[in-house]
Amino acid sequence: MESSDDDPAYMVKFKSTFRTDLETRKENASIAYLKIATALDARFKDLKCIPRAERGEGWALVTNLLKEQRFVAEKPVEATTSEPPNKKLALLAASSEADSEQEEDSVENSVRRFRAEPTISTESCLLEWWSKHAGSHSRLASIAQKYLATPATSVPCERLFSLAGHIVQKKRVSLSSENGDHLSQRSLSSVTNTSGPYLAKGQWSLY
């Protein structure tokens, strides 16, 4: 979008305005959120859409999320555990360090196994992929449910409302509510198939 000497005045103005607006949107966007969602998307987990220098950061963010998830899960147990005798503190500290190292290695293995999975076609159903692989990637599945539940764009929703407006109108006053719902569901299916499925938060079931 860089201006060139051959561009007319209106095109130069358009490109300048476009770049300014794009930078403003990038400042307000959660880039880390987008990187995590891209890494967990089996269609784009090779991260070729991200600059090479930033790809490692994306996987580091996913790894940190797994570690935080473990910490939150174990926190209530630690809070209710009674204080051990002083003579056992040294043994517990050594055991805790060993467990921490094993857990960190387990987290790294979880990410490594997911990265080793082959990428799928951009036309494939991401929802079906995670539904089939949630068991083998149980640590990442709950994070994927959270980060892949948000549509990347509102265009499919707006398109659906537009389609519904064409279905329910004055010219179809005799259209029953059942048929209206059926046609709306078919429209929703069409939007989902062309724009990609979205994961319902907390579940893997299809529409």
Side-chain angles (χ1 to χ4, degrees):
M1 291 299 294
E2 295 295 332
S3 302
S4 63
D5 296 336
D6 298 331
D7 290 337
Y10 71 88
M11 183 58 67
V12 173
K13 183 178 180 180
F14 168 78
K15 289 183 177 181
S16 176
T17 304
F18 183 86
R19 288 196 303 270
T20 302
D21 181 72
L22 184 61
E23 290 299 325
T24 302
R25 293 174 183 269
K26 287 177 64 177
E27 291 174 0
N28 296 331
S30 176
I31 303 300
Y33 192 104
L34 296 176
K35 288 180 179 179
I36 294 171
T38 305
L40 294 174
D41 192 325
R43 299 168 299 180
F44 309 107
K45 66 186 185 69
D46 53 12
L47 303 184
K48 291 183 179 179
C49 56
I50 299 177
R52 187 181 298 273
E54 301 179 11
R55 295 174 187 174
E57 180 185 355
W59 290 114
L61 290 170
V62 174
T63 302
N64 290 335
L65 280 176
L66 285 175
K67 294 178 180 178
E68 292 174 5
Q69 186 183 57
R70 166 186 171 263
F71 175 78
V72 171
E74 293 184 353
K75 190 174 181 180
V77 177
E78 294 176 356
T80 57
T81 302
S82 58
E83 185 177 354
N86 292 333
K87 62 181 182 180
K88 295 183 179 180
L89 287 177
L91 293 175
L92 288 175
S95 176
S96 177
E97 291 178 0
D99 292 342
S100 178
E101 291 177 357
Q102 291 178 357
E103 184 65 28
E104 184 173 353
D105 183 61
S106 178
V107 168
E108 296 289 346
N109 285 335
S110 298
V111 175
R112 192 177 299 111
R113 282 190 294 105
F114 175 71
R115 294 183 65 176
E117 293 278 2
T119 56
I120 60 177
S121 169
T122 55
E123 297 179 358
S124 299
C125 180
L126 177 63
L127 188 60
E128 290 181 351
W129 191 93
W130 269 109
S131 180
K132 294 177 181 178
H133 295 79
S136 56
H137 301 290
S138 56
R139 292 175 178 269
L140 291 170
S142 59
I143 299 177
Q145 287 176 343
K146 174 182 177 181
Y147 282 85
L148 298 179
T150 305
T153 175
S154 62
V155 171
C157 299
E158 296 172 2
R159 187 182 299 143
L160 175 59
F161 279 111
S162 178
L163 290 172
H166 288 293
I167 295 171
V168 182
Q169 52 179 303
K170 293 181 179 179
K171 295 181 179 179
R172 290 182 171 179
V173 292
S174 60
L175 182 67
S176 65
S177 59
E178 291 79 7
N179 288 336
D181 290 342
H182 178 69
L183 291 173
S184 297
Q185 290 176 1
R186 291 192 63 182
S187 299
L188 174 61
S189 177
S190 176
V191 172
T192 302
N193 290 336
T194 55
S195 303
Y198 301 125
L199 283 78
K201 198 168 185 178
Q203 63 182 18
W204 296 114
S205 59
L206 295 172
Y207 287 112

